[in-house]
Amino acid sequence: MIPFLSLKDVTAAHGEEIQAAVRRVVDSGWYLQGQENARFEKNYAEYIGVDHCIGCANGLDALIWIFRAYLELGIMQPGDEVIVPANTYIASILAITENGLTPVLVEPDMNTYQLDGSKVEAAITPRTKAIMIVHLYGQCAYTDQIGELCAKYNLKLVEDNAQAHGCRFKGGSRTGSIGHAAGHSFYPGKNLGALGDGGAVTTSDAELAECIRALANYGSTRKYVFKYTGRNSRLDEIQAAVLDVKLKYLDEDTEKRRAVARYYLENIKNPAVILPQVPDWQAHVFHLFPIRCSRRDELQQHLTTNGVQTVIHYPIPPHKQECYQEWNDRSYPITEQIHDEELSLPISPTMTEADMKAVVTAVNAFA
């Protein structure tokens, strides 16, 4: 079986450095809010191209803290609206509702799977305070049109960068630095993954960064002094040390992912399969390689039978989930079609040429 993603192999690629980093933390006797966090936050902020990086417990928390900070600073009020793509992973929406804000779901572009900028303006109301773009599957979701709408209506632009570490917009700014603030996930399966949960917020807004850092540390601005009713959401020293090792190789690993994607795009020749469109290779880091097929479940079973593991991202759209029952009768046809047809093929920086050939052969053999 060709695994969808072998985390063991991904970790082993830099295993000696990772083990040395973990030993360094263990031997230091300092396991939270120490030098490893400070070093990683500095290096990641520089890599993304922002002034501030705040490590936190996971990617969902990173997004939650952004909106919570805007509420604490009086920039948003409960009930305000946030435009968000209808086809995103549910964490993007959970961060909005967790803060008493109102998600406004907007359909994606069928060709890119990213938020369709041409549909955004019609969804803006006097209560709209932000647009959240999600760089889904590793592709840059930002467009000049979305930026112009944020400026026209004085909206905050929040990026969900959980799947797009290292991605660039038009070869320039990295995702995570384009908006007013961005949430990042370091879940082990991400392009920049920890050995457990982890996340971060990046921003160049000093006031926002200070508020988020306090919120994620019980609401404390200094020891035993609590300005906000916060929570405990901190990146631990071991994860920070591991991430700092892997950050050095992120661009190199991204190029390996792009090589796999190129091979798939050049060699998959099955009329039943719709391949992703890649107009700008710098704007895609291929966290996932999503294909579409009207007989998706049959194709997945065929690939499983032929030794290729795949994953559906995602089988149920957010508006059909039980946790949002009040939306279950809504219709988002483009989103629903994507969720009915999407299938992700194996892609990772550790795949061999033999692995790629086997995947292509199996896909092309689907009748």
Side-chain angles (χ1 to χ4, degrees):
M1 177 68 71
I2 296 171
F4 178 72
L5 174 66
S6 172
L7 291 177
K8 182 178 179 181
D9 290 345
V10 170
T11 302
H14 313 301
E16 290 186 7
E17 287 185 71
I18 289 172
Q19 290 178 22
V22 171
R23 284 195 300 269
R24 183 176 69 246
V25 176
V26 171
D27 292 344
S28 75
W30 194 293
Y31 306 128
L32 282 170
Q33 296 185 298
Q35 294 181 358
E36 302 293 345
N37 260 273
R39 181 183 300 112
F40 172 68
E41 288 180 348
K42 176 179 180 296
N43 290 339
Y44 194 59
E46 290 177 353
Y47 176 83
I48 293 297
V50 294
D51 294 336
H52 306 280
C53 170
I54 306 98
C56 57
N58 53 68
L60 173 56
D61 275 7
L63 294 172
I64 287 173
W65 299 135
I66 292 170
F67 290 112
R68 173 69 182 281
Y70 281 136
L71 288 165
E72 293 287 356
L73 295 173
I75 294 169
M76 296 181 188
Q77 303 294 328
D80 283 345
E81 297 172 352
V82 178
I83 290 172
V84 63
N87 64 318
T88 186
Y89 181 59
I90 201 165
S92 312
I93 298 171
L94 290 172
I96 300 169
T97 57
E98 171 80 7
N99 281 292
L101 300 168
T102 303
V104 176
L105 308 186
V106 173
E107 290 265 62
D109 183 312
M110 180 58 91
N111 295 316
T112 66
Y113 312 132
Q114 310 301 318
L115 180 65
D116 189 339
S118 69
K119 294 182 171 70
V120 169
E121 189 163 21
I124 295 174
T125 76
R127 294 304 302 261
T128 306
K129 291 297 186 291
I131 298 174
M132 182 194 288
I133 55 174
V134 184
H135 306 296
L136 199 63
Y137 306 145
Q139 185 168 3
C140 182
Y142 180 76
T143 64
D144 290 324
Q145 183 180 30
I146 290 174
E148 289 164 4
L149 289 173
C150 287
K152 179 179 178 180
Y153 292 98
N154 192 28
L155 305 177
K156 294 298 183 184
L157 179 62
V158 176
E159 298 175 74
D160 182 340
N161 200 51
Q163 299 186 12
H165 313 107
C167 185
R168 292 184 182 273
F169 173 63
K170 293 183 177 180
S173 300
R174 292 193 192 275
T175 56
S177 70
I178 300 169
H180 296 94
H184 307 251
S185 169
F186 304 126
Y187 178 79
K190 304 299 186 184
N191 290 25
L192 180 61
L195 299 185
D197 275 323
V201 175
T202 56
T203 182
S204 289
D205 183 331
E207 184 180 29
L208 186 73
E210 181 181 13
C211 183
I212 289 170
R213 190 174 295 281
L215 286 168
N217 186 35
Y218 297 97
S220 175
T221 51
R222 56 191 176 93
K223 196 166 185 177
Y224 302 135
V225 177
F226 303 94
K227 185 174 182 178
Y228 310 105
T229 54
R231 287 212 316 250
N232 177 9
S233 176
R234 300 177 298 201
L235 184 67
D236 71 66
E237 288 286 277
I238 287 180
Q239 303 305 339
V242 169
L243 289 166
D244 205 48
V245 170
K246 296 179 77 173
L247 178 60
K248 295 187 296 183
Y249 302 100
L250 179 55
D251 288 345
E252 177 184 327
D253 287 346
T254 296
E255 288 307 315
K256 293 176 181 177
R257 287 177 175 272
R258 287 179 177 144
V260 177
R262 284 191 179 94
Y263 188 88
Y264 286 165
L265 290 170
E266 291 170 1
N267 292 281
I268 292 176
K269 308 291 184 182
N270 190 324
V273 172
I274 299 172
L275 297 171
Q277 297 183 16
V278 189
D280 181 355
W281 283 86
Q282 290 300 307
H284 209 319
V285 295
F286 292 99
H287 172 58
L288 300 173
F289 190 90
I291 61 174
R292 287 186 11 246
C293 179
S294 61
R295 295 158 53 213
R296 188 265 311 285
D297 294 345
E298 293 176 55
L299 174 58
Q300 185 175 43
Q301 183 57 56
H302 164 81
L303 293 175
T304 300
T305 300
N306 285 272
V308 177
Q309 185 182 41
T310 58
V311 177
I312 298 170
H313 293 94
Y314 302 94
I316 305 173
H319 69 283
K320 295 297 185 182
Q321 297 286 351
E322 186 176 355
C323 63
Y324 291 120
Q325 290 184 24
E326 65 273 24
W327 301 344
N328 287 175
D329 60 350
R330 294 186 186 181
S331 175
Y332 297 96
I334 296 174
T335 291
E336 289 161 20
Q337 183 178 349
I338 292 171
H339 284 259
D340 286 342
E341 297 181 349
E342 194 279 340
L343 187 66
S344 298
L345 299 181
I347 189 165
S348 84
T350 62
M351 286 187 72
T352 66
E353 187 174 353
D355 292 335
M356 292 184 279
K357 287 181 177 178
V359 172
V360 167
T361 299
V363 173
N364 286 341
F366 177 66

